CSV table of all heavy atoms in Angstrom, one decimal:
chain,number,residue,atom,x,y,z
A,207,ASP,N,-17.7,-8.8,-5.2
A,207,ASP,CA,-17.2,-7.6,-4.7
A,207,ASP,C,-15.9,-7.4,-5.5
A,207,ASP,O,-15.1,-8.2,-5.7
A,207,ASP,CB,-16.7,-7.7,-3.2
A,207,ASP,CG,-16.4,-6.3,-2.7
A,207,ASP,OD1,-17.0,-5.3,-2.6
A,207,ASP,OD2,-15.1,-6.2,-2.3
A,208,PHE,N,-15.8,-5.9,-6.1
A,208,PHE,CA,-14.7,-5.7,-6.9
A,208,PHE,C,-13.3,-6.0,-6.4
A,208,PHE,O,-12.5,-6.5,-7.0
A,208,PHE,CB,-14.9,-4.2,-7.3
A,208,PHE,CG,-13.7,-3.7,-8.1
A,208,PHE,CD1,-13.5,-4.1,-9.5
A,208,PHE,CD2,-12.6,-3.0,-7.5
A,208,PHE,CE1,-12.4,-3.6,-10.3
A,208,PHE,CE2,-11.6,-2.5,-8.2
A,208,PHE,CZ,-11.5,-2.9,-9.6
A,209,LEU,N,-13.2,-5.6,-5.0
A,209,LEU,CA,-11.8,-5.9,-4.4
A,209,LEU,C,-11.4,-7.3,-4.5
A,209,LEU,O,-10.3,-7.6,-4.8
A,209,LEU,CB,-11.8,-5.3,-3.0
A,209,LEU,CG,-11.8,-3.7,-2.8
A,209,LEU,CD1,-12.1,-3.4,-1.4
A,209,LEU,CD2,-10.6,-3.2,-3.4
A,210,MET,N,-12.4,-8.1,-4.2
A,210,MET,CA,-12.1,-9.6,-4.2
A,210,MET,C,-11.8,-10.1,-5.6
A,210,MET,O,-10.9,-10.8,-5.9
A,210,MET,CB,-13.2,-10.3,-3.5
A,210,MET,CG,-13.4,-10.1,-1.9
A,210,MET,SD,-11.9,-10.2,-1.0
A,210,MET,CE,-11.7,-12.0,-1.2
A,211,ALA,N,-12.6,-9.6,-6.6
A,211,ALA,CA,-12.5,-10.0,-7.9
A,211,ALA,C,-11.1,-9.6,-8.5
A,211,ALA,O,-10.5,-10.2,-9.3
A,211,ALA,CB,-13.5,-9.4,-8.8
A,212,ALA,N,-10.5,-8.5,-8.0
A,212,ALA,CA,-9.3,-8.0,-8.4
A,212,ALA,C,-8.1,-8.7,-7.6
A,212,ALA,O,-6.9,-8.4,-7.9
A,212,ALA,CB,-9.1,-6.5,-8.1
A,213,GLY,N,-8.5,-9.6,-6.8
A,213,GLY,CA,-7.4,-10.4,-6.2
A,213,GLY,C,-6.6,-9.7,-5.0
A,213,GLY,O,-5.5,-10.0,-4.5
A,214,ALA,N,-7.4,-8.8,-4.5
A,214,ALA,CA,-6.8,-7.8,-3.4
A,214,ALA,C,-6.5,-8.6,-2.1
A,214,ALA,O,-5.7,-8.2,-1.3
A,214,ALA,CB,-7.7,-6.7,-3.2
A,215,ALA,N,-7.2,-9.8,-2.0
A,215,ALA,CA,-6.9,-10.5,-0.7
A,215,ALA,C,-5.6,-11.1,-0.6
A,215,ALA,O,-5.2,-11.2,0.6
A,215,ALA,CB,-7.9,-11.7,-0.8
A,216,LYS,N,-4.8,-11.2,-1.8
A,216,LYS,CA,-3.5,-11.6,-1.7
A,216,LYS,C,-2.6,-10.4,-1.1
A,216,LYS,O,-1.5,-10.6,-0.8
A,216,LYS,CB,-3.0,-11.8,-3.1
A,216,LYS,CG,-3.6,-13.0,-3.8
A,216,LYS,CD,-3.1,-13.1,-5.2
A,216,LYS,CE,-3.9,-14.4,-5.9
A,216,LYS,NZ,-3.6,-14.5,-7.2
A,217,ALA,N,-3.2,-9.3,-0.9
A,217,ALA,CA,-2.3,-8.2,-0.3
A,217,ALA,C,-2.5,-8.1,1.1
A,217,ALA,O,-1.8,-7.3,1.8
A,217,ALA,CB,-3.0,-6.8,-0.9
A,218,VAL,N,-3.3,-9.0,1.8
A,218,VAL,CA,-3.4,-9.0,3.1
A,218,VAL,C,-2.2,-9.0,4.0
A,218,VAL,O,-1.9,-8.2,4.8
A,218,VAL,CB,-4.4,-10.1,3.7
A,218,VAL,CG1,-4.4,-10.2,5.3
A,218,VAL,CG2,-5.9,-9.7,3.2
A,219,PRO,N,-1.2,-9.9,3.7
A,219,PRO,CA,0.1,-10.0,4.4
A,219,PRO,C,0.9,-8.7,4.3
A,219,PRO,O,1.5,-8.2,5.3
A,219,PRO,CB,0.7,-11.1,3.8
A,219,PRO,CG,-0.2,-12.0,3.3
A,219,PRO,CD,-1.4,-11.1,2.8
A,220,ALA,N,0.8,-8.1,3.1
A,220,ALA,CA,1.7,-6.9,3.0
A,220,ALA,C,1.0,-5.7,3.7
A,220,ALA,O,1.6,-4.8,4.2
A,220,ALA,CB,1.8,-6.5,1.5
A,221,LEU,N,-0.3,-5.7,3.7
A,221,LEU,CA,-1.0,-4.6,4.4
A,221,LEU,C,-0.9,-4.8,5.9
A,221,LEU,O,-0.6,-3.8,6.6
A,221,LEU,CB,-2.5,-4.7,4.1
A,221,LEU,CG,-2.9,-4.1,2.7
A,221,LEU,CD1,-4.4,-4.5,2.3
A,221,LEU,CD2,-2.7,-2.7,2.4
A,222,ALA,N,-0.8,-5.8,6.3
A,222,ALA,CA,-0.6,-6.2,7.8
A,222,ALA,C,0.8,-5.7,8.2
A,222,ALA,O,1.0,-5.1,9.2
A,222,ALA,CB,-0.9,-7.6,8.2
A,223,ASP,N,1.7,-6.0,7.5
A,223,ASP,CA,3.0,-5.6,7.5
A,223,ASP,C,3.2,-4.1,7.6
A,223,ASP,O,3.9,-3.5,8.4
A,223,ASP,CB,4.0,-6.2,6.5
A,223,ASP,CG,5.4,-6.2,6.8
A,223,ASP,OD1,5.9,-6.6,8.0
A,223,ASP,OD2,6.2,-5.8,6.0
A,224,ALA,N,2.5,-3.4,6.7
A,224,ALA,CA,2.5,-2.0,6.7
A,224,ALA,C,1.9,-1.3,7.9
A,224,ALA,O,2.4,-0.4,8.4
A,224,ALA,CB,1.8,-1.5,5.4
A,225,VAL,N,0.9,-1.9,8.4
A,225,VAL,CA,0.3,-1.5,9.6
A,225,VAL,C,1.4,-1.6,10.8
A,225,VAL,O,1.6,-0.6,11.6
A,225,VAL,CB,-1.0,-2.3,10.0
A,225,VAL,CG1,-1.4,-1.9,11.4
A,225,VAL,CG2,-2.1,-2.0,9.0
A,226,ALA,N,1.9,-2.8,10.9
A,226,ALA,CA,2.8,-3.1,12.0
A,226,ALA,C,4.1,-2.2,11.9
A,226,ALA,O,4.6,-1.9,13.0
A,226,ALA,CB,3.1,-4.5,12.0
A,227,LYS,N,4.6,-2.0,10.7
A,227,LYS,CA,6.0,-1.4,10.6
A,227,LYS,C,6.0,0.0,10.1
A,227,LYS,O,7.0,0.7,10.1
A,227,LYS,CB,6.8,-2.3,9.7
A,227,LYS,CG,7.1,-3.7,10.2
A,227,LYS,CD,7.9,-4.5,9.2
A,227,LYS,CE,8.0,-5.9,9.8
A,227,LYS,NZ,8.7,-6.7,8.9
A,228,SER,N,4.8,0.6,9.8
A,228,SER,CA,4.8,1.9,9.2
A,228,SER,C,5.2,3.0,10.2
A,228,SER,O,4.4,3.0,11.3
A,228,SER,CB,3.6,2.2,8.5
A,228,SER,OG,3.5,3.6,8.0
A,229,ALA,N,6.1,3.8,10.1
A,229,ALA,CA,6.4,4.9,11.1
A,229,ALA,C,5.4,6.0,10.9
A,229,ALA,O,5.2,6.9,11.7
A,229,ALA,CB,7.7,5.3,11.0
A,230,ASP,N,4.8,6.1,9.6
A,230,ASP,CA,3.8,7.1,9.3
A,230,ASP,C,2.5,6.7,9.8
A,230,ASP,O,1.8,5.7,9.2
A,230,ASP,CB,3.9,7.3,7.8
A,230,ASP,CG,2.8,8.3,7.2
A,230,ASP,OD1,2.5,9.2,8.0
A,230,ASP,OD2,2.5,8.2,6.1
A,231,PRO,N,1.8,7.4,10.7
A,231,PRO,CA,0.5,7.0,11.0
A,231,PRO,C,-0.5,7.1,10.0
A,231,PRO,O,-1.5,6.1,9.9
A,231,PRO,CB,0.1,8.0,12.2
A,231,PRO,CG,1.4,8.7,12.7
A,231,PRO,CD,2.4,8.5,11.4
A,232,LEU,N,-0.4,7.9,9.0
A,232,LEU,CA,-1.3,8.0,7.8
A,232,LEU,C,-1.3,6.6,7.0
A,232,LEU,O,-2.3,6.1,6.6
A,232,LEU,CB,-1.2,9.1,7.0
A,232,LEU,CG,-2.2,9.4,5.8
A,232,LEU,CD1,-3.5,9.3,6.3
A,232,LEU,CD2,-1.8,10.6,5.1
A,233,GLY,N,0.0,6.2,6.8
A,233,GLY,CA,0.2,5.0,6.1
A,233,GLY,C,-0.4,3.9,6.8
A,233,GLY,O,-1.0,3.0,6.1
A,234,ALA,N,-0.3,3.7,8.1
A,234,ALA,CA,-0.9,2.6,8.9
A,234,ALA,C,-2.3,2.7,8.9
A,234,ALA,O,-2.9,1.7,8.7
A,234,ALA,CB,-0.3,2.6,10.3
A,235,ALA,N,-2.9,3.9,9.0
A,235,ALA,CA,-4.3,4.0,9.0
A,235,ALA,C,-4.9,3.6,7.6
A,235,ALA,O,-6.0,3.0,7.6
A,235,ALA,CB,-4.7,5.5,9.4
A,236,THR,N,-4.3,4.0,6.6
A,236,THR,CA,-4.7,3.6,5.3
A,236,THR,C,-4.7,2.1,5.0
A,236,THR,O,-5.7,1.5,4.5
A,236,THR,CB,-3.8,4.3,4.2
A,236,THR,OG1,-3.9,5.7,4.3
A,236,THR,CG2,-4.3,4.0,2.7
A,237,ALA,N,-3.7,1.5,5.5
A,237,ALA,CA,-3.6,0.0,5.4
A,237,ALA,C,-4.7,-0.6,6.2
A,237,ALA,O,-5.3,-1.7,5.9
A,237,ALA,CB,-2.2,-0.5,5.8
A,238,LEU,N,-5.0,0.0,7.4
A,238,LEU,CA,-6.0,-0.6,8.4
A,238,LEU,C,-7.5,-0.5,7.5
A,238,LEU,O,-8.2,-1.5,7.5
A,238,LEU,CB,-6.2,0.1,9.6
A,238,LEU,CG,-5.0,-0.2,10.7
A,238,LEU,CD1,-5.1,0.8,11.8
A,238,LEU,CD2,-5.3,-1.5,11.1
A,239,TRP,N,-7.7,0.7,7.0
A,239,TRP,CA,-8.9,0.9,6.2
A,239,TRP,C,-9.1,-0.1,5.1
A,239,TRP,O,-10.1,-0.6,4.8
A,239,TRP,CB,-9.1,2.3,5.8
A,239,TRP,CG,-9.6,3.2,6.9
A,239,TRP,CD1,-8.9,4.1,7.5
A,239,TRP,CD2,-10.9,3.2,7.4
A,239,TRP,NE1,-9.8,4.6,8.5
A,239,TRP,CE2,-11.0,4.1,8.5
A,239,TRP,CE3,-12.0,2.4,7.2
A,239,TRP,CZ2,-12.1,4.4,9.2
A,239,TRP,CZ3,-13.2,2.6,8.0
A,239,TRP,CH2,-13.2,3.6,9.0
A,240,LEU,N,-8.0,-0.4,4.4
A,240,LEU,CA,-8.0,-1.3,3.3
A,240,LEU,C,-8.3,-2.8,3.8
A,240,LEU,O,-9.1,-3.4,3.1
A,240,LEU,CB,-6.7,-1.2,2.5
A,240,LEU,CG,-6.5,0.0,1.6
A,240,LEU,CD1,-5.0,0.0,1.2
A,240,LEU,CD2,-7.4,0.0,0.5
A,241,LEU,N,-7.6,-3.1,4.8
A,241,LEU,CA,-7.9,-4.4,5.5
A,241,LEU,C,-9.4,-4.6,5.8
A,241,LEU,O,-10.0,-5.5,5.5
A,241,LEU,CB,-7.1,-4.6,6.7
A,241,LEU,CG,-5.6,-4.9,6.4
A,241,LEU,CD1,-4.7,-4.8,7.6
A,241,LEU,CD2,-5.5,-6.2,5.7
A,242,ALA,N,-10.0,-3.6,6.5
A,242,ALA,CA,-11.4,-3.5,7.0
A,242,ALA,C,-12.4,-3.5,5.6
A,242,ALA,O,-13.2,-4.4,5.7
A,242,ALA,CB,-11.7,-2.2,7.7
A,243,ARG,N,-11.9,-2.9,4.6
A,243,ARG,CA,-12.7,-2.9,3.4
A,243,ARG,C,-12.8,-4.3,2.7
A,243,ARG,O,-13.7,-4.7,2.2
A,243,ARG,CB,-12.2,-1.9,2.4
A,243,ARG,CG,-13.1,-1.7,1.2
A,243,ARG,CD,-14.4,-0.9,1.6
A,243,ARG,NE,-15.1,-0.8,0.3
A,243,ARG,CZ,-16.2,-1.6,-0.1
A,243,ARG,NH1,-16.7,-2.3,0.9
A,243,ARG,NH2,-16.8,-1.4,-1.2
A,244,LEU,N,-11.6,-4.9,2.8
A,244,LEU,CA,-11.5,-6.4,2.2
A,244,LEU,C,-12.5,-7.2,2.9
A,244,LEU,O,-13.2,-8.0,2.1
A,244,LEU,CB,-10.1,-6.9,2.3
A,244,LEU,CG,-9.1,-6.4,1.3
A,244,LEU,CD1,-7.7,-7.0,1.7
A,244,LEU,CD2,-9.4,-6.8,-0.1
A,245,GLY,N,-12.6,-7.3,4.1
A,245,GLY,CA,-13.6,-7.9,4.9
A,245,GLY,C,-13.5,-9.5,5.0
A,245,GLY,O,-14.3,-10.1,5.6
A,246,THR,N,-12.4,-10.0,4.4
A,246,THR,CA,-12.2,-11.4,4.5
A,246,THR,C,-11.8,-11.8,6.0
A,246,THR,O,-11.3,-10.8,6.8
A,246,THR,CB,-11.1,-11.9,3.6
A,246,THR,OG1,-9.8,-11.3,4.0
A,246,THR,CG2,-11.3,-11.6,2.1
A,247,ASP,N,-11.8,-13.0,6.4
A,247,ASP,CA,-11.5,-13.4,7.7
A,247,ASP,C,-10.1,-13.1,8.0
A,247,ASP,O,-9.6,-12.6,8.9
A,247,ASP,CB,-11.8,-14.9,7.9
A,247,ASP,CG,-13.2,-15.3,8.1
A,247,ASP,OD1,-14.0,-14.3,8.3
A,247,ASP,OD2,-13.7,-16.4,7.8
A,248,ASP,N,-9.1,-13.4,6.9
A,248,ASP,CA,-7.8,-13.2,7.2
A,248,ASP,C,-7.5,-11.6,7.3
A,248,ASP,O,-6.7,-11.1,8.1
A,248,ASP,CB,-7.0,-13.7,5.9
A,248,ASP,CG,-6.8,-15.0,5.9
A,248,ASP,OD1,-7.0,-15.7,6.9
A,248,ASP,OD2,-6.4,-15.6,4.8
A,249,ALA,N,-8.2,-10.8,6.5
A,249,ALA,CA,-8.0,-9.4,6.7
A,249,ALA,C,-8.6,-8.8,8.0
A,249,ALA,O,-8.0,-7.9,8.7
A,249,ALA,CB,-8.8,-8.6,5.5
A,250,LYS,N,-9.6,-9.3,8.5
A,250,LYS,CA,-10.2,-9.0,9.8
A,250,LYS,C,-9.2,-9.3,10.9
A,250,LYS,O,-9.0,-8.6,11.8
A,250,LYS,CB,-11.5,-9.6,10.0
A,250,LYS,CG,-12.6,-9.0,9.2
A,250,LYS,CD,-14.0,-9.7,9.6
A,250,LYS,CE,-15.1,-9.1,8.7
A,250,LYS,NZ,-16.3,-9.8,9.0
A,251,THR,N,-8.7,-10.5,10.8
A,251,THR,CA,-7.6,-10.9,11.8
A,251,THR,C,-6.3,-10.0,11.7
A,251,THR,O,-5.9,-9.6,12.8
A,251,THR,CB,-7.2,-12.4,11.5
A,251,THR,OG1,-8.4,-13.3,11.6
A,251,THR,CG2,-6.2,-12.8,12.5
A,252,ALA,N,-6.0,-9.6,10.5
A,252,ALA,CA,-4.9,-8.8,10.4
A,252,ALA,C,-5.0,-7.4,10.9
A,252,ALA,O,-4.1,-6.7,11.1
A,252,ALA,CB,-4.4,-8.6,8.9
A,253,LEU,N,-6.2,-6.9,11.2
A,253,LEU,CA,-6.5,-5.7,11.7
A,253,LEU,C,-5.8,-5.5,13.1
A,253,LEU,O,-5.4,-4.4,13.4
A,253,LEU,CB,-8.0,-5.4,11.9
A,253,LEU,CG,-8.8,-5.1,10.8
A,253,LEU,CD1,-10.3,-5.1,11.0
A,253,LEU,CD2,-8.5,-3.8,10.1
A,254,GLY,N,-5.7,-6.5,13.8
A,254,GLY,CA,-5.1,-6.6,15.1
A,254,GLY,C,-3.6,-6.2,15.0
A,254,GLY,O,-3.0,-5.8,16.1
A,255,ALA,N,-3.0,-6.1,13.9
A,255,ALA,CA,-1.6,-5.6,13.7
A,255,ALA,C,-1.4,-4.1,14.2
A,255,ALA,O,-0.4,-3.7,14.6
A,255,ALA,CB,-1.2,-5.7,12.3
A,256,GLY,N,-2.6,-3.4,14.1
A,256,GLY,CA,-2.5,-1.9,14.5
A,256,GLY,C,-2.5,-1.8,16.1
A,256,GLY,O,-2.3,-0.6,16.5
A,257,ALA,N,-2.8,-2.8,16.8
A,257,ALA,CA,-3.0,-2.7,18.3
A,257,ALA,C,-1.7,-2.3,18.9
A,257,ALA,O,-1.7,-1.7,20.1
A,257,ALA,CB,-3.5,-3.9,18.9
A,258,LYS,N,-0.6,-2.7,18.3
A,258,LYS,CA,0.8,-2.3,19.0
A,258,LYS,C,1.6,-1.2,18.3
A,258,LYS,O,2.6,-0.9,18.6
A,258,LYS,CB,1.6,-3.6,19.0
A,258,LYS,CG,1.1,-4.7,19.8
A,258,LYS,CD,2.0,-5.8,19.9
A,258,LYS,CE,1.4,-6.9,20.8
A,258,LYS,NZ,2.1,-8.2,20.8
A,259,HIS,N,0.8,-0.4,17.4
A,259,HIS,CA,1.4,0.7,16.7
A,259,HIS,C,1.8,1.7,17.8
A,259,HIS,O,1.0,1.9,18.7
A,259,HIS,CB,0.5,1.2,15.7
A,259,HIS,CG,1.1,2.2,14.7
A,259,HIS,ND1,1.3,3.5,14.9
A,259,HIS,CD2,1.7,1.8,13.5
A,259,HIS,CE1,2.1,3.9,13.9
A,259,HIS,NE2,2.1,3.1,13.0
A,260,PRO,N,2.9,2.4,17.6
A,260,PRO,CA,3.3,3.5,18.5
A,260,PRO,C,2.4,4.7,18.6
A,260,PRO,O,2.3,5.5,19.6
A,260,PRO,CB,4.7,3.8,18.2
A,260,PRO,CG,4.9,3.3,16.8
A,260,PRO,CD,3.9,2.2,16.6
A,261,ASP,N,1.7,5.0,17.5
A,261,ASP,CA,0.7,6.1,17.5
A,261,ASP,C,-0.6,5.7,18.1
A,261,ASP,O,-1.2,4.8,17.7
A,261,ASP,CB,0.7,6.6,16.0
A,261,ASP,CG,-0.2,8.0,16.0
A,261,ASP,OD1,-1.3,8.0,16.0
A,261,ASP,OD2,0.6,8.9,15.9
A,262,ALA,N,-1.0,6.5,19.1
A,262,ALA,CA,-2.2,6.3,19.7
A,262,ALA,C,-3.6,6.4,18.9
A,262,ALA,O,-4.5,5.7,19.0
A,262,ALA,CB,-2.5,7.3,20.9
A,263,LYS,N,-3.4,7.3,18.0
A,263,LYS,CA,-4.5,7.4,16.9
A,263,LYS,C,-4.8,6.1,16.1
A,263,LYS,O,-5.9,5.7,15.8
A,263,LYS,CB,-4.4,8.7,16.1
A,263,LYS,CG,-4.5,9.9,16.9
A,263,LYS,CD,-4.4,11.1,16.0
A,263,LYS,CE,-4.4,12.3,16.8
A,263,LYS,NZ,-4.0,13.6,16.0
A,264,VAL,N,-3.6,5.6,15.8
A,264,VAL,CA,-3.6,4.2,14.9
A,264,VAL,C,-4.3,3.2,15.9
A,264,VAL,O,-5.1,2.4,15.5
A,264,VAL,CB,-2.3,4.0,14.4
A,264,VAL,CG1,-2.2,2.4,13.8
A,264,VAL,CG2,-1.8,4.9,13.4
A,265,ARG,N,-3.8,3.2,17.1
A,265,ARG,CA,-4.3,2.1,18.1
A,265,ARG,C,-5.9,2.3,18.2
A,265,ARG,O,-6.7,1.3,18.4
A,265,ARG,CB,-3.7,2.2,19.4
A,265,ARG,CG,-2.2,1.8,19.3
A,265,ARG,CD,-1.5,1.4,20.5
A,265,ARG,NE,-1.7,2.7,21.5
A,265,ARG,CZ,-0.8,3.6,21.6
A,265,ARG,NH1,0.3,3.7,20.9
A,265,ARG,NH2,-0.9,4.5,22.6
A,266,ARG,N,-6.3,3.6,18.3
A,266,ARG,CA,-7.7,3.9,18.5
A,266,ARG,C,-8.5,3.5,17.2
A,266,ARG,O,-9.7,2.9,17.3
A,266,ARG,CB,-7.9,5.4,18.8
A,266,ARG,CG,-9.4,5.7,19.1
A,266,ARG,CD,-9.5,7.1,19.6
A,266,ARG,NE,-8.4,7.9,19.5
A,266,ARG,CZ,-8.3,9.2,19.2
A,266,ARG,NH1,-9.6,9.8,18.9
A,266,ARG,NH2,-7.2,9.7,19.1
A,267,LEU,N,-8.0,3.8,16.1
A,267,LEU,CA,-8.6,3.4,14.9
A,267,LEU,C,-8.8,1.8,14.8
A,267,LEU,O,-9.7,1.3,14.4
A,267,LEU,CB,-7.9,3.9,13.7
A,267,LEU,CG,-8.4,3.4,12.3
A,267,LEU,CD1,-9.8,3.8,12.1
A,267,LEU,CD2,-7.5,4.0,11.2
A,268,THR,N,-7.6,1.2,15.1
A,268,THR,CA,-7.6,-0.3,15.2
A,268,THR,C,-8.8,-0.9,16.1
A,268,THR,O,-9.6,-1.7,15.7
A,268,THR,CB,-6.3,-0.8,15.8
A,268,THR,OG1,-5.3,-0.4,14.9
A,268,THR,CG2,-6.3,-2.4,15.9
A,269,ALA,N,-9.0,-0.3,17.4
A,269,ALA,CA,-10.0,-0.8,18.2
A,269,ALA,C,-11.4,-0.5,17.6
A,269,ALA,O,-12.3,-1.4,17.7
A,269,ALA,CB,-9.9,0.0,19.6
A,270,GLU,N,-11.5,0.6,17.0
A,270,GLU,CA,-12.8,1.0,16.3
A,270,GLU,C,-13.0,0.0,15.2
A,270,GLU,O,-14.3,-0.5,15.1
A,270,GLU,CB,-12.8,2.4,15.8
A,270,GLU,CG,-14.0,2.8,15.0
A,270,GLU,CD,-15.3,2.7,15.8
A,270,GLU,OE1,-15.4,2.8,17.1
A,270,GLU,OE2,-16.4,2.6,15.1
A,271,LEU,N,-12.2,-0.2,14.4
A,271,LEU,CA,-12.4,-1.2,13.2
A,271,LEU,C,-12.6,-2.7,13.6
A,271,LEU,O,-13.4,-3.3,13.1
A,271,LEU,CB,-11.2,-1.2,12.3
A,271,LEU,CG,-11.1,0.3,11.6
A,271,LEU,CD1,-9.8,0.2,10.6
A,271,LEU,CD2,-12.2,0.5,10.6
A,272,VAL,N,-11.9,-3.1,14.6
A,272,VAL,CA,-12.1,-4.4,15.2
A,272,VAL,C,-13.5,-4.5,15.8
A,272,VAL,O,-14.2,-5.5,15.5
A,272,VAL,CB,-11.1,-4.8,16.3
A,272,VAL,CG1,-11.5,-6.0,17.1
A,272,VAL,CG2,-9.7,-4.9,15.7
A,273,ARG,N,-13.9,-3.5,16.4
A,273,ARG,CA,-15.4,-3.6,17.0
A,273,ARG,C,-16.3,-3.4,15.8
A,273,ARG,O,-17.3,-4.2,15.8
A,273,ARG,CB,-15.5,-2.3,18.1
A,273,ARG,CG,-16.9,-2.4,18.6
A,273,ARG,CD,-17.1,-1.3,19.6
A,273,ARG,NE,-16.8,0.1,18.9
A,273,ARG,CZ,-17.7,0.7,18.2
A,273,ARG,NH1,-19.0,0.1,18.1
A,273,ARG,NH2,-17.5,2.0,17.6
A,274,ARG,N,-16.2,-2.6,15.0
A,274,ARG,CA,-17.2,-2.2,13.9
A,274,ARG,C,-17.3,-3.5,13.0
A,274,ARG,O,-18.4,-3.8,12.6
A,274,ARG,CB,-16.8,-1.1,13.1
A,274,ARG,CG,-17.8,-0.8,11.9
A,274,ARG,CD,-17.4,0.4,11.1
A,274,ARG,NE,-17.2,1.6,11.9
A,274,ARG,CZ,-16.7,2.7,11.6
A,274,ARG,NH1,-16.5,2.8,10.3
A,274,ARG,NH2,-16.6,3.7,12.3
A,275,TYR,N,-16.2,-4.2,12.7
A,275,TYR,CA,-16.2,-5.2,11.7
A,275,TYR,C,-16.1,-6.7,12.3
A,275,TYR,O,-16.0,-7.6,11.7
A,275,TYR,CB,-15.1,-5.1,10.7
A,275,TYR,CG,-15.3,-3.8,9.8
A,275,TYR,CD1,-14.7,-2.7,10.0
A,275,TYR,CD2,-16.2,-4.0,8.6
A,275,TYR,CE1,-14.9,-1.6,9.3
A,275,TYR,CE2,-16.5,-2.9,7.9
A,275,TYR,CZ,-15.8,-1.6,8.2
A,275,TYR,OH,-16.0,-0.5,7.4
A,276,LYS,N,-16.4,-6.6,13.7
A,276,LYS,CA,-16.4,-7.8,14.5
A,276,LYS,C,-15.2,-8.8,14.2
A,276,LYS,O,-15.3,-10.1,14.0
A,276,LYS,CB,-17.8,-8.5,14.3
A,276,LYS,CG,-18.9,-7.6,14.7
A,276,LYS,CD,-20.3,-8.3,14.3
A,276,LYS,CE,-21.4,-7.5,14.8
A,276,LYS,NZ,-21.5,-6.1,14.5
A,277,ALA,N,-14.1,-8.2,14.2
A,277,ALA,CA,-12.8,-9.0,14.0
A,277,ALA,C,-12.5,-9.8,15.2
A,277,ALA,O,-12.9,-9.4,16.4
A,277,ALA,CB,-11.7,-8.0,13.6
A,278,PRO,N,-11.9,-10.9,15.0
A,278,PRO,CA,-11.5,-11.7,16.2
A,278,PRO,C,-10.4,-10.8,17.0
A,278,PRO,O,-9.7,-10.1,16.5
A,278,PRO,CB,-10.8,-12.9,15.6
A,278,PRO,CG,-10.8,-12.7,14.2
A,278,PRO,CD,-11.5,-11.5,13.8
A,279,ASN,N,-10.4,-11.1,18.3
A,279,ASN,CA,-9.5,-10.3,19.2
A,279,ASN,C,-8.1,-11.0,19.1
A,279,ASN,O,-7.8,-11.9,19.1
A,279,ASN,CB,-9.9,-10.5,20.7
A,279,ASN,CG,-11.2,-9.6,20.7
A,279,ASN,OD1,-11.6,-8.7,20.0
A,279,ASN,ND2,-12.1,-10.0,21.8
C-alpha cells in the first residue's frame, strides 16, 4: 500500500494527538479519516481518540469508523 510504503504509519501518534486536541472539527475529522485509511493496528486503536472530542459530529464519525474498520474499543 502506498501510504505504508511512504512511512505514514510513523504519523499515527501525531494524527491521534490532532484528533484529541483539535478545536476544529474538520481538522479532527480529517485526522480520523487518515488513521482509518492507514489501517494498521496502531492506527485503528488511535481512532478512539475521537470518542472524547467536544464536537458531536466528530464523536459520531469516530463511532462509525471504529465500527466500519473493526477497531478495538
